[in-house]
Amino acid sequence: MVLWNGIPMYAPLTPEYYAIPGAQRCVFRIMQDQGDTQAWNLYWLTKPETDNLLVRKEEWFNYYHSLSETQTEAFYEALDTEVSQRLTLASVVALAPREAIHLVANAQLEKTRFYHLYDGEAWRQTMMGRLFLAARLERDHLPPPTEQADVVWIDFHTRHHGLRNGTQHRPG
């Protein structure tokens, strides 16, 4: 799992890599400067076209559209809104992707102004798809196991135990 400021980062890279050429105060540089991992996670979940900035920066204006000023205000308000089990949306997107998937699926996103200004339930579906992608990216970045170990199992009812290779032993 890639951590940024001690929080799982869903995107493959920090916001600085997505910064729009020539723009001194683009949203990506602001998030990078503030070290705002939760905002970055939510933004990356919300706007899939952001990934195009990694490969087509010189043509960003053809496919990338920033949030409006009103949407941006609502976006940051949404981070501070309780949406699931007394958790704010910022708390939810600070969790590992696999944990966040279950919470976002059932979150009360409609409590946020952003939900109503952006895409409603389509926003949730976009975030869910991106969370599954983040979980896959996380899995692909796990280091390979360094040691092989046999697994010991014990059946407490019959008092049998054994190793993964199927050897069984009775207590003596």
Side-chain angles (χ1 to χ4, degrees), residues 43 47 64-76 113-114 117-118:
Y43 199 90
K47 297 194 61 69
Y64 177 79
H65 302 286
S66 299
L67 298 174
S68 70
E69 185 176 328
T70 304
Q71 287 174 327
T72 299
E73 288 174 7
F75 174 87
Y76 279 98
R113 189 166 59 114
F114 188 73
L117 290 173
Y118 197 61

Side-chain angles (χ1 to χ4, degrees), residues 38-53:
Q38 289 100 325
W40 175 228
N41 280 347
L42 184 59
Y43 199 90
W44 187 82
L45 292 175
T46 299
K47 297 194 61 69
E49 65 272 20
T50 301
D51 291 340
N52 291 331
L53 290 170

Side-chain angles (χ1 to χ4, degrees), residues 6 15 21-22 38 42 44 58 63 68 70 84-86 93 102 105 120 128 133 135 146 150-151 157-159 171:
Q38 289 100 325
L42 184 59
W44 187 82
E58 65 283 344
Y63 56 83
S68 70
T70 304
S84 180
Q85 303 169 14
R86 296 188 179 176
V93 297
H102 302 291
M128 292 295 295
L133 173 60
T146 56
D150 283 329
V151 176
H157 181 68
T158 62
R159 303 187 88 193

